Structure formats: structure tokens, C-alpha cells
Amino acid sequence: MREALEKQKASIVKQQQVVRQQAQTAGVRTAPWASAPVLDADCDPIAEAELAPLVEAAAKKQKLETKLIRAVIEKESGFHACAVSPKGAQGLMQIMPGTAQELGLQDAFDPRQNIDAGSQFLRQLLDKYGDLAKALGAYNAGPAAVDQAGAIPDISETRDYVDSIMKKLEPTRTVPPSSPTPKPIGN
């Protein structure tokens, strides 16, 4: 039964990726999926009593808002400490193995270590870009994608990711357009 469910989830993920690639090739932006697929999450969501002090400590240490860290955790893993993405990101804040190594993260599935490392990475990105939307874009697509685009990459998954988190933080804010609207000359 579990094997059949895993095959079904993998098929859905593959279908979503194909649809996004086709839409991107055609220059069409797709609507976000209901939630990001997490293939391996055989654990209950982390309890609020355990989560709250970990988020508060990381927020204080990295000078971040607790609601930002919570929004990233919710979007990345749905509060499942054992989550593993199809691309290999791990834990609550879905940290890629290479990033984990750079940050000195020993156990990506340990909630405290994962939140500390993910918050540290967010702080580094905020310091680098000086802009929350770009930092979130880099958290999702990688700093190289933001550096290459000079903005939030025009990748539907990344734009939906950034928009979703920005709306949680400040419901009136959304992702800025890919390229600024030209202003009339002489005005």
C-alpha cells in the first residue's frame, strides 16, 4: 500500500514539473499548487510547545521576525521535521545537503539545528540582498538564480513561493513584477 502511494506521489510531482516547464516555455505563469509535495514525511507535525521556543531563539539570534521563520517552515515542510523534498532538501526548513554542510549543520532532522541553520541562511541572504523578497527567492531557487536574474527569478514555483510567504507576513504585499514598468519620458 505504501509503495503504491509513493509511486502516485512521485507521478504527481513529475506531472507538476512537466506542466510548469511547458507553461514556462510558453511564457505562461501557472497557479500555485495547493501545497509543495513532500514525499517522505512519516512523522507528525512538530508540536507548538516544542516549536515556539526554537523559533523564538533562532529569531532572536539572527534578528529575524518569528513570523518569517514560521512562514518559511510552514511553506517548506508543513511543520514536519522528517520532511524530505523530491530534490533532497531536508527537515523543517528544507535545507539542501550542500547548504547544510556550508552552515555546519550536523543533523538536518533535528528541529533545533535545522531551524538555527535555516534562520542563519535566511539572515545571510537578507544581508546579501537587502530585500526580503529577493532573499526568499534565493532561499527557494538558490542565490545563483537571483544573482543571474538580478531579481526574483522568473520561475513560477519561486514567484509563488515568495508571494505566498510575503502574503503571510503582510497581506497587502506581493511579489514585485519581473521587470519594472517603464516610466514615460519627461514625467
Side-chain angles (χ1 to χ4, degrees):
M1 176 75 173
R2 178 163 167 73
E3 186 177 316
L5 183 60
E6 291 301 322
K7 284 182 181 180
Q8 182 181 21
K9 287 180 182 178
S11 175
I12 291 169
V13 169
K14 188 172 185 174
Q15 290 171 23
Q16 288 175 339
Q17 291 170 338
V18 168
V19 168
R20 282 194 174 120
Q21 288 172 345
Q22 290 172 342
Q24 192 171 9
T25 301
V28 175
R29 186 168 174 208
T30 59
W33 309 118
S35 63
V38 178
L39 292 181
D40 292 322
D42 271 349
C43 61
D44 291 329
I46 188 170
E48 176 60 26
E50 184 181 356
L51 179 69
L54 300 175
V55 169
E56 289 171 18
K60 184 176 180 179
K61 183 177 181 180
Q62 297 300 330
K63 297 180 175 72
L64 298 171
E65 293 181 53
T66 57
K67 64 183 180 178
L68 170 61
I69 297 171
R70 283 178 173 279
V72 169
I73 292 171
E74 180 178 6
K75 186 69 176 169
E76 290 286 351
S77 68
F79 300 103
H80 290 86
C82 66
V84 178
S85 79
K87 294 181 181 177
Q90 301 173 331
L92 288 166
M93 294 188 77
Q94 291 292 277
I95 300 171
M96 292 297 288
T99 303
Q101 187 175 15
E102 290 173 19
L103 296 169
L105 176 59
Q106 299 297 310
D107 181 358
F109 300 106
D110 176 87
R112 181 192 55 77
Q113 289 183 41
N114 190 282
I115 292 170
D116 284 349
S119 298
Q120 179 185 350
F121 188 48
L122 260 177
R123 170 45 60 200
Q124 289 173 359
L125 295 171
L126 279 166
D127 290 346
K128 178 177 181 174
Y129 297 108
D131 177 81
L132 179 57
K134 281 185 184 178
L136 289 169
Y139 195 94
N140 178 263
V146 172
D147 293 344
Q148 183 178 2
I152 298 166
D154 197 19
I155 302 168
S156 60
E157 176 188 335
T158 300
R159 296 191 66 74
D160 294 340
Y161 174 90
V162 174
D163 195 40
S164 171
I165 292 176
M166 296 296 280
K167 284 179 180 176
K168 284 186 182 298
L169 299 177
E170 191 176 326
T172 58
R173 281 181 82 176
T174 58
V175 177
S178 296
S179 56
T181 305
K183 295 181 182 176
I185 298 174
N187 288 342

Short mmCIF file of all heavy atoms in Angstrom, two decimals, residues 45-113:
data_model
loop_
_atom_site.label_atom_id
_atom_site.label_comp_id
_atom_site.label_asym_id
_atom_site.label_seq_id
_atom_site.Cartn_x
_atom_site.Cartn_y
_atom_site.Cartn_z
N PRO A 45 3.41 16.57 12.51
CA PRO A 45 3.97 17.93 12.58
C PRO A 45 4.51 18.19 13.99
O PRO A 45 4.00 17.66 14.97
CB PRO A 45 2.76 18.83 12.28
CG PRO A 45 1.79 17.95 11.58
CD PRO A 45 2.01 16.56 12.12
N ILE A 46 5.53 19.01 14.06
CA ILE A 46 6.14 19.34 15.35
C ILE A 46 5.13 20.06 16.23
O ILE A 46 4.36 20.91 15.75
CB ILE A 46 7.43 20.17 15.14
CG1 ILE A 46 8.19 20.35 16.46
CG2 ILE A 46 7.12 21.50 14.48
CD1 ILE A 46 9.58 20.94 16.29
N ALA A 47 5.11 19.73 17.49
CA ALA A 47 4.17 20.33 18.44
C ALA A 47 4.54 21.79 18.68
O ALA A 47 5.72 22.15 18.74
CB ALA A 47 4.20 19.56 19.75
N GLU A 48 3.52 22.62 18.84
CA GLU A 48 3.72 24.05 19.08
C GLU A 48 4.59 24.29 20.32
O GLU A 48 5.44 25.17 20.32
CB GLU A 48 2.36 24.75 19.24
CG GLU A 48 2.46 26.21 19.57
CD GLU A 48 3.19 27.06 18.54
OE1 GLU A 48 3.21 26.68 17.35
OE2 GLU A 48 3.74 28.11 18.91
N ALA A 49 4.39 23.48 21.35
CA ALA A 49 5.18 23.65 22.58
C ALA A 49 6.67 23.43 22.33
O ALA A 49 7.51 24.04 23.00
CB ALA A 49 4.68 22.67 23.65
N GLU A 50 7.01 22.58 21.38
CA GLU A 50 8.42 22.35 21.02
C GLU A 50 8.90 23.40 20.03
O GLU A 50 10.03 23.88 20.11
CB GLU A 50 8.58 20.95 20.42
CG GLU A 50 10.03 20.61 20.11
CD GLU A 50 10.19 19.22 19.49
OE1 GLU A 50 9.21 18.47 19.36
OE2 GLU A 50 11.34 18.90 19.13
N LEU A 51 8.05 23.77 19.08
CA LEU A 51 8.42 24.70 18.01
C LEU A 51 8.66 26.12 18.51
O LEU A 51 9.66 26.75 18.15
CB LEU A 51 7.34 24.70 16.93
CG LEU A 51 7.57 25.64 15.75
CD1 LEU A 51 8.74 25.15 14.91
CD2 LEU A 51 6.31 25.75 14.91
N ALA A 52 7.74 26.64 19.31
CA ALA A 52 7.78 28.06 19.70
C ALA A 52 9.12 28.50 20.29
O ALA A 52 9.69 29.50 19.82
CB ALA A 52 6.63 28.37 20.65
N PRO A 53 9.67 27.80 21.28
CA PRO A 53 10.95 28.28 21.83
C PRO A 53 12.11 28.18 20.84
O PRO A 53 13.03 29.00 20.88
CB PRO A 53 11.19 27.39 23.06
CG PRO A 53 10.26 26.24 22.94
CD PRO A 53 9.14 26.67 22.04
N LEU A 54 12.06 27.21 19.94
CA LEU A 54 13.12 27.06 18.95
C LEU A 54 13.09 28.22 17.95
O LEU A 54 14.13 28.79 17.61
CB LEU A 54 12.99 25.73 18.20
CG LEU A 54 13.07 24.46 19.05
CD1 LEU A 54 12.81 23.23 18.20
CD2 LEU A 54 14.41 24.36 19.76
N VAL A 55 11.90 28.57 17.51
CA VAL A 55 11.74 29.68 16.57
C VAL A 55 12.11 31.00 17.25
O VAL A 55 12.83 31.82 16.66
CB VAL A 55 10.29 29.73 16.02
CG1 VAL A 55 10.05 31.02 15.25
CG2 VAL A 55 10.03 28.52 15.13
N GLU A 56 11.65 31.19 18.47
CA GLU A 56 11.97 32.43 19.19
C GLU A 56 13.47 32.59 19.40
O GLU A 56 14.02 33.69 19.21
CB GLU A 56 11.22 32.47 20.52
CG GLU A 56 9.73 32.68 20.34
CD GLU A 56 8.92 32.51 21.62
OE1 GLU A 56 9.51 32.55 22.72
OE2 GLU A 56 7.70 32.32 21.50
N ALA A 57 14.16 31.52 19.77
CA ALA A 57 15.61 31.59 20.00
C ALA A 57 16.34 31.91 18.69
O ALA A 57 17.25 32.75 18.67
CB ALA A 57 16.11 30.27 20.59
N ALA A 58 15.96 31.24 17.61
CA ALA A 58 16.61 31.49 16.32
C ALA A 58 16.33 32.91 15.84
O ALA A 58 17.22 33.58 15.31
CB ALA A 58 16.14 30.47 15.29
N ALA A 59 15.10 33.37 16.02
CA ALA A 59 14.73 34.73 15.59
C ALA A 59 15.55 35.77 16.35
O ALA A 59 16.06 36.72 15.76
CB ALA A 59 13.23 34.96 15.82
N LYS A 60 15.69 35.56 17.63
CA LYS A 60 16.46 36.50 18.45
C LYS A 60 17.94 36.49 18.03
O LYS A 60 18.54 37.54 17.85
CB LYS A 60 16.33 36.12 19.93
CG LYS A 60 17.02 37.09 20.86
CD LYS A 60 16.77 36.72 22.31
CE LYS A 60 17.47 37.70 23.22
NZ LYS A 60 17.24 37.39 24.64
N LYS A 61 18.49 35.31 17.86
CA LYS A 61 19.90 35.17 17.49
C LYS A 61 20.21 35.81 16.14
O LYS A 61 21.23 36.46 15.96
CB LYS A 61 20.29 33.69 17.48
CG LYS A 61 21.74 33.43 17.17
CD LYS A 61 22.05 31.95 17.25
CE LYS A 61 23.52 31.69 16.98
NZ LYS A 61 23.81 30.24 17.05
N GLN A 62 19.31 35.61 15.16
CA GLN A 62 19.56 36.10 13.80
C GLN A 62 18.88 37.45 13.50
O GLN A 62 18.95 37.94 12.38
CB GLN A 62 19.09 35.06 12.78
CG GLN A 62 19.83 33.75 12.87
CD GLN A 62 21.32 33.88 12.63
OE1 GLN A 62 21.79 34.76 11.90
NE2 GLN A 62 22.10 33.01 13.27
N LYS A 63 18.20 38.00 14.52
CA LYS A 63 17.50 39.28 14.36
C LYS A 63 16.48 39.20 13.21
O LYS A 63 16.46 40.04 12.30
CB LYS A 63 18.47 40.43 14.17
CG LYS A 63 19.37 40.66 15.37
CD LYS A 63 20.34 41.81 15.13
CE LYS A 63 21.15 42.12 16.35
NZ LYS A 63 22.17 41.18 16.71
N LEU A 64 15.63 38.16 13.28
CA LEU A 64 14.56 37.94 12.31
C LEU A 64 13.23 37.93 13.04
O LEU A 64 13.17 37.69 14.24
CB LEU A 64 14.75 36.59 11.61
CG LEU A 64 16.00 36.39 10.77
CD1 LEU A 64 16.12 34.93 10.34
CD2 LEU A 64 15.98 37.31 9.57
N GLU A 65 12.17 38.16 12.32
CA GLU A 65 10.83 38.07 12.90
C GLU A 65 10.45 36.60 13.04
O GLU A 65 10.70 35.80 12.14
CB GLU A 65 9.81 38.76 12.01
CG GLU A 65 9.99 40.26 11.91
CD GLU A 65 8.92 40.88 11.03
OE1 GLU A 65 7.72 40.64 11.29
OE2 GLU A 65 9.29 41.59 10.09
N THR A 66 9.82 36.27 14.16
CA THR A 66 9.38 34.88 14.36
C THR A 66 8.37 34.49 13.29
O THR A 66 8.40 33.35 12.81
CB THR A 66 8.75 34.67 15.76
OG1 THR A 66 7.67 35.57 15.92
CG2 THR A 66 9.77 34.87 16.86
N LYS A 67 7.52 35.42 12.87
CA LYS A 67 6.51 35.06 11.87
C LYS A 67 7.16 34.75 10.51
O LYS A 67 6.62 33.97 9.74
CB LYS A 67 5.41 36.12 11.76
CG LYS A 67 5.85 37.46 11.26
CD LYS A 67 4.65 38.43 11.29
CE LYS A 67 5.07 39.80 10.79
NZ LYS A 67 3.94 40.71 10.77
N LEU A 68 8.32 35.31 10.22
CA LEU A 68 9.04 34.98 8.99
C LEU A 68 9.53 33.54 9.05
O LEU A 68 9.34 32.77 8.11
CB LEU A 68 10.21 35.93 8.76
CG LEU A 68 11.19 35.56 7.64
CD1 LEU A 68 10.47 35.50 6.29
CD2 LEU A 68 12.37 36.53 7.61
N ILE A 69 10.17 33.19 10.14
CA ILE A 69 10.69 31.82 10.29
C ILE A 69 9.54 30.82 10.24
O ILE A 69 9.62 29.80 9.55
CB ILE A 69 11.51 31.68 11.59
CG1 ILE A 69 12.73 32.60 11.54
CG2 ILE A 69 11.92 30.22 11.82
CD1 ILE A 69 13.49 32.71 12.84
N ARG A 70 8.46 31.11 10.94
CA ARG A 70 7.30 30.22 10.93
C ARG A 70 6.72 30.07 9.52
O ARG A 70 6.34 28.97 9.11
CB ARG A 70 6.21 30.75 11.85
CG ARG A 70 6.47 30.52 13.30
CD ARG A 70 5.33 31.14 14.15
NE ARG A 70 5.48 30.79 15.52
CZ ARG A 70 5.10 29.62 16.05
NH1 ARG A 70 4.54 28.71 15.30
NH2 ARG A 70 5.29 29.37 17.32
N ALA A 71 6.64 31.17 8.79
CA ALA A 71 6.08 31.13 7.43
C ALA A 71 6.95 30.27 6.51
O ALA A 71 6.43 29.50 5.69
CB ALA A 71 5.94 32.54 6.86
N VAL A 72 8.26 30.38 6.66
CA VAL A 72 9.17 29.56 5.85
C VAL A 72 9.01 28.08 6.23
O VAL A 72 8.91 27.22 5.35
CB VAL A 72 10.64 30.03 5.99
CG1 VAL A 72 11.60 29.04 5.36
CG2 VAL A 72 10.80 31.42 5.37
N ILE A 73 8.96 27.79 7.51
CA ILE A 73 8.79 26.40 7.95
C ILE A 73 7.48 25.83 7.42
O ILE A 73 7.44 24.72 6.90
CB ILE A 73 8.86 26.29 9.49
CG1 ILE A 73 10.27 26.61 9.98
CG2 ILE A 73 8.43 24.89 9.95
CD1 ILE A 73 10.38 26.75 11.50
N GLU A 74 6.41 26.61 7.54
CA GLU A 74 5.11 26.13 7.07
C GLU A 74 5.14 25.84 5.57
O GLU A 74 4.67 24.80 5.12
CB GLU A 74 4.03 27.16 7.38
CG GLU A 74 2.65 26.72 6.93
CD GLU A 74 1.56 27.71 7.27
OE1 GLU A 74 1.86 28.82 7.76
OE2 GLU A 74 0.39 27.37 7.04
N LYS A 75 5.72 26.75 4.81
CA LYS A 75 5.76 26.60 3.35
C LYS A 75 6.69 25.46 2.94
O LYS A 75 6.40 24.69 2.03
CB LYS A 75 6.20 27.91 2.70
CG LYS A 75 6.14 27.91 1.20
CD LYS A 75 4.71 27.88 0.72
CE LYS A 75 4.66 27.99 -0.80
NZ LYS A 75 3.33 27.70 -1.30
N GLU A 76 7.82 25.37 3.62
CA GLU A 76 8.83 24.39 3.24
C GLU A 76 8.45 22.95 3.62
O GLU A 76 8.65 22.05 2.82
CB GLU A 76 10.19 24.73 3.87
CG GLU A 76 10.84 25.97 3.30
CD GLU A 76 11.42 25.76 1.91
OE1 GLU A 76 11.48 24.61 1.43
OE2 GLU A 76 11.82 26.76 1.30
N SER A 77 7.96 22.74 4.83
CA SER A 77 7.78 21.36 5.31
C SER A 77 6.42 21.09 5.92
O SER A 77 6.17 19.94 6.32
CB SER A 77 8.85 21.05 6.36
OG SER A 77 8.61 21.82 7.53
N GLY A 78 5.59 22.10 6.04
CA GLY A 78 4.31 21.87 6.72
C GLY A 78 4.51 21.48 8.16
O GLY A 78 3.69 20.77 8.74
N PHE A 79 5.62 21.93 8.77
CA PHE A 79 5.96 21.67 10.17
C PHE A 79 6.35 20.20 10.44
O PHE A 79 6.29 19.74 11.56
CB PHE A 79 4.84 22.11 11.13
CG PHE A 79 4.52 23.57 11.04
CD1 PHE A 79 3.40 24.00 10.37
CD2 PHE A 79 5.35 24.51 11.62
CE1 PHE A 79 3.09 25.35 10.26
CE2 PHE A 79 5.06 25.87 11.53
CZ PHE A 79 3.93 26.29 10.86
N HIS A 80 6.79 19.48 9.41
CA HIS A 80 7.23 18.09 9.56
C HIS A 80 8.76 18.05 9.61
O HIS A 80 9.42 18.31 8.61
CB HIS A 80 6.74 17.23 8.39
CG HIS A 80 5.27 17.01 8.41
ND1 HIS A 80 4.38 17.88 7.84
CD2 HIS A 80 4.54 15.99 8.94
CE1 HIS A 80 3.15 17.43 8.01
NE2 HIS A 80 3.22 16.28 8.68
N ALA A 81 9.30 17.71 10.77
CA ALA A 81 10.75 17.70 10.96
C ALA A 81 11.45 16.61 10.14
O ALA A 81 12.64 16.71 9.87
CB ALA A 81 11.08 17.52 12.44
N CYS A 82 10.71 15.59 9.71
CA CYS A 82 11.31 14.49 8.96
C CYS A 82 11.15 14.65 7.44
O CYS A 82 11.51 13.76 6.69
CB CYS A 82 10.70 13.16 9.40
SG CYS A 82 8.94 13.03 8.97
N ALA A 83 10.64 15.79 7.00
CA ALA A 83 10.34 16.00 5.58
C ALA A 83 11.60 15.96 4.72
O ALA A 83 12.65 16.49 5.10
CB ALA A 83 9.63 17.33 5.39
N VAL A 84 11.45 15.34 3.55
CA VAL A 84 12.50 15.32 2.54
C VAL A 84 11.82 15.65 1.21
O VAL A 84 10.86 15.00 0.81
CB VAL A 84 13.18 13.93 2.44
CG1 VAL A 84 14.24 13.93 1.34
CG2 VAL A 84 13.80 13.54 3.77
N SER A 85 12.33 16.67 0.53
CA SER A 85 11.73 17.08 -0.74
C SER A 85 12.21 16.19 -1.87
O SER A 85 13.21 15.48 -1.73
CB SER A 85 12.10 18.54 -1.06
OG SER A 85 13.42 18.60 -1.58
N PRO A 86 11.52 16.26 -3.01
CA PRO A 86 11.97 15.48 -4.17
C PRO A 86 13.39 15.84 -4.61
O PRO A 86 14.07 15.02 -5.21
CB PRO A 86 10.96 15.85 -5.26
CG PRO A 86 9.74 16.28 -4.52
CD PRO A 86 10.24 16.93 -3.27
N LYS A 87 13.83 17.06 -4.29
CA LYS A 87 15.18 17.49 -4.69
C LYS A 87 16.23 17.21 -3.62
O LYS A 87 17.40 17.51 -3.81
CB LYS A 87 15.18 18.98 -5.04
CG LYS A 87 14.34 19.27 -6.26
CD LYS A 87 14.35 20.74 -6.61
CE LYS A 87 13.48 20.98 -7.83
NZ LYS A 87 13.40 22.40 -8.18
N GLY A 88 15.80 16.68 -2.46
CA GLY A 88 16.74 16.31 -1.42
C GLY A 88 16.85 17.27 -0.25
O GLY A 88 17.64 17.03 0.66
N ALA A 89 16.08 18.35 -0.24
CA ALA A 89 16.09 19.27 0.90
C ALA A 89 15.51 18.55 2.11
O ALA A 89 14.60 17.72 1.97
CB ALA A 89 15.30 20.52 0.56
N GLN A 90 16.02 18.90 3.30
CA GLN A 90 15.68 18.12 4.48
C GLN A 90 15.23 18.97 5.65
O GLN A 90 15.69 20.10 5.85
CB GLN A 90 16.90 17.32 4.93
CG GLN A 90 17.44 16.38 3.89
CD GLN A 90 18.75 15.72 4.30
OE1 GLN A 90 19.52 16.29 5.05
NE2 GLN A 90 18.98 14.53 3.80
N GLY A 91 14.33 18.39 6.45
CA GLY A 91 13.93 18.97 7.72
C GLY A 91 12.91 20.08 7.62
O GLY A 91 12.33 20.34 6.57
N LEU A 92 12.69 20.73 8.74
CA LEU A 92 11.66 21.77 8.85
C LEU A 92 11.84 22.90 7.85
O LEU A 92 10.88 23.36 7.25
CB LEU A 92 11.65 22.34 10.28
CG LEU A 92 11.09 21.42 11.35
CD1 LEU A 92 11.44 21.93 12.74
CD2 LEU A 92 9.59 21.25 11.20
N MET A 93 13.07 23.37 7.68
CA MET A 93 13.31 24.50 6.79
C MET A 93 13.87 24.05 5.44
O MET A 93 14.31 24.87 4.65
CB MET A 93 14.20 25.54 7.47
CG MET A 93 13.49 26.18 8.67
SD MET A 93 14.35 27.58 9.40
CE MET A 93 13.97 28.88 8.22
N GLN A 94 13.80 22.73 5.19
CA GLN A 94 14.17 22.15 3.90
C GLN A 94 15.52 22.65 3.39
O GLN A 94 15.62 23.34 2.38
CB GLN A 94 13.07 22.41 2.87
CG GLN A 94 11.80 21.65 3.14
CD GLN A 94 11.99 20.15 2.95
OE1 GLN A 94 11.91 19.66 1.85
NE2 GLN A 94 12.24 19.42 4.03
N ILE A 95 16.55 22.27 4.11
CA ILE A 95 17.91 22.69 3.78
C ILE A 95 18.57 21.64 2.90
O ILE A 95 18.56 20.45 3.22
CB ILE A 95 18.71 22.94 5.07
CG1 ILE A 95 18.01 24.04 5.89
CG2 ILE A 95 20.15 23.32 4.76
CD1 ILE A 95 18.56 24.23 7.27
N MET A 96 19.14 22.10 1.79
CA MET A 96 19.83 21.20 0.87
C MET A 96 21.14 20.72 1.53
O MET A 96 21.76 21.47 2.29
CB MET A 96 20.14 21.92 -0.44
CG MET A 96 18.91 22.25 -1.27
SD MET A 96 17.99 20.81 -1.81
CE MET A 96 19.11 20.17 -3.07
N PRO A 97 21.56 19.50 1.22
CA PRO A 97 22.77 18.97 1.84
C PRO A 97 24.01 19.85 1.69
O PRO A 97 24.78 20.02 2.64
CB PRO A 97 22.96 17.61 1.15
CG PRO A 97 21.56 17.20 0.80
CD PRO A 97 20.87 18.48 0.41
N GLY A 98 24.22 20.44 0.52
CA GLY A 98 25.37 21.32 0.34
C GLY A 98 25.32 22.55 1.22
O GLY A 98 26.32 22.96 1.81
N THR A 99 24.14 23.13 1.33
CA THR A 99 23.95 24.30 2.21
C THR A 99 24.14 23.89 3.66
O THR A 99 24.76 24.62 4.45
CB THR A 99 22.56 24.92 2.00
OG1 THR A 99 22.41 25.26 0.62
CG2 THR A 99 22.36 26.16 2.85
N ALA A 100 23.62 22.72 4.02
CA ALA A 100 23.78 22.21 5.39
C ALA A 100 25.26 22.10 5.74
O ALA A 100 25.69 22.49 6.84
CB ALA A 100 23.10 20.86 5.54
N GLN A 101 26.04 21.59 4.80
CA GLN A 101 27.47 21.44 5.04
C GLN A 101 28.15 22.81 5.22
O GLN A 101 28.94 22.99 6.13
CB GLN A 101 28.12 20.68 3.89
CG GLN A 101 29.56 20.32 4.13
CD GLN A 101 30.12 19.46 3.00
OE1 GLN A 101 29.55 19.36 1.91
NE2 GLN A 101 31.26 18.84 3.26
N GLU A 102 27.79 23.76 4.36
CA GLU A 102 28.35 25.11 4.47
C GLU A 102 28.01 25.77 5.80
O GLU A 102 28.81 26.53 6.34
CB GLU A 102 27.83 26.00 3.34
CG GLU A 102 28.36 25.65 1.97
CD GLU A 102 27.68 26.45 0.86
OE1 GLU A 102 27.07 27.50 1.14
OE2 GLU A 102 27.76 25.99 -0.31
N LEU A 103 26.83 25.47 6.33
CA LEU A 103 26.37 26.07 7.58
C LEU A 103 26.81 25.28 8.81
O LEU A 103 26.55 25.69 9.93
CB LEU A 103 24.84 26.20 7.58
CG LEU A 103 24.25 27.13 6.53
CD1 LEU A 103 22.74 26.96 6.45
CD2 LEU A 103 24.62 28.58 6.81
N GLY A 104 27.44 24.14 8.60
CA GLY A 104 27.88 23.31 9.72
C GLY A 104 26.75 22.55 10.37
O GLY A 104 26.85 22.15 11.54
N LEU A 105 25.67 22.32 9.64
CA LEU A 105 24.52 21.59 10.16
C LEU A 105 24.86 20.10 10.23
O LEU A 105 25.13 19.48 9.21
CB LEU A 105 23.30 21.83 9.26
CG LEU A 105 22.02 21.08 9.59
CD1 LEU A 105 21.53 21.40 11.00
CD2 LEU A 105 20.94 21.42 8.56
N GLN A 106 24.83 19.54 11.43
CA GLN A 106 25.18 18.14 11.63
C GLN A 106 24.01 17.19 11.38
O GLN A 106 24.18 16.15 10.77
CB GLN A 106 25.69 17.92 13.06
CG GLN A 106 26.94 18.71 13.39
CD GLN A 106 28.12 18.30 12.55
OE1 GLN A 106 28.43 17.12 12.42
NE2 GLN A 106 28.79 19.27 11.93
N ASP A 107 22.81 17.57 11.85
CA ASP A 107 21.63 16.71 11.74
C ASP A 107 20.46 17.55 11.24
O ASP A 107 19.82 18.26 12.01
CB ASP A 107 21.30 16.08 13.09
CG ASP A 107 20.10 15.14 13.04
OD1 ASP A 107 19.48 14.98 11.97
OD2 ASP A 107 19.77 14.56 14.10
N ALA A 108 20.18 17.44 9.95
CA ALA A 108 19.13 18.25 9.33
C ALA A 108 17.74 17.91 9.87
O ALA A 108 16.81 18.70 9.71
CB ALA A 108 19.14 18.06 7.82
N PHE A 109 17.59 16.77 10.52
CA PHE A 109 16.29 16.37 11.04
C PHE A 109 16.10 16.73 12.51
O PHE A 109 15.03 16.51 13.06
CB PHE A 109 16.07 14.88 10.80
CG PHE A 109 16.11 14.54 9.33
CD1 PHE A 109 17.20 13.89 8.79
CD2 PHE A 109 15.08 14.92 8.49
CE1 PHE A 109 17.26 13.59 7.44
CE2 PHE A 109 15.13 14.63 7.13
CZ PHE A 109 16.22 13.98 6.61
N ASP A 110 17.11 17.29 13.12
CA ASP A 110 16.99 17.80 14.48
C ASP A 110 16.34 19.18 14.39
O ASP A 110 16.91 20.08 13.77
CB ASP A 110 18.36 17.89 15.16
CG ASP A 110 18.27 18.51 16.54
OD1 ASP A 110 18.02 17.75 17.50
OD2 ASP A 110 18.42 19.75 16.65
N PRO A 111 15.15 19.36 14.97
CA PRO A 111 14.44 20.64 14.82
C PRO A 111 15.26 21.87 15.22
O PRO A 111 15.27 22.86 14.49
CB PRO A 111 13.21 20.47 15.71
CG PRO A 111 12.95 19.00 15.71
CD PRO A 111 14.34 18.38 15.70
N ARG A 112 15.94 21.81 16.35
CA ARG A 112 16.72 22.97 16.78
C ARG A 112 17.83 23.30 15.79
O ARG A 112 17.98 24.43 15.35
CB ARG A 112 17.33 22.75 18.17
CG ARG A 112 18.13 23.97 18.66
CD ARG A 112 18.97 23.69 19.90
NE ARG A 112 19.88 22.57 19.75
CZ ARG A 112 21.02 22.60 19.07
NH1 ARG A 112 21.41 23.69 18.46
NH2 ARG A 112 21.79 21.52 18.99
N GLN A 113 18.60 22.28 15.40
CA GLN A 113 19.69 22.51 14.47
C GLN A 113 19.18 23.02 13.12
O GLN A 113 19.77 23.92 12.52
CB GLN A 113 20.48 21.22 14.24
CG GLN A 113 21.31 20.78 15.42
CD GLN A 113 22.11 19.53 15.09
OE1 GLN A 113 22.66 19.40 14.00
NE2 GLN A 113 22.19 18.60 16.04
#
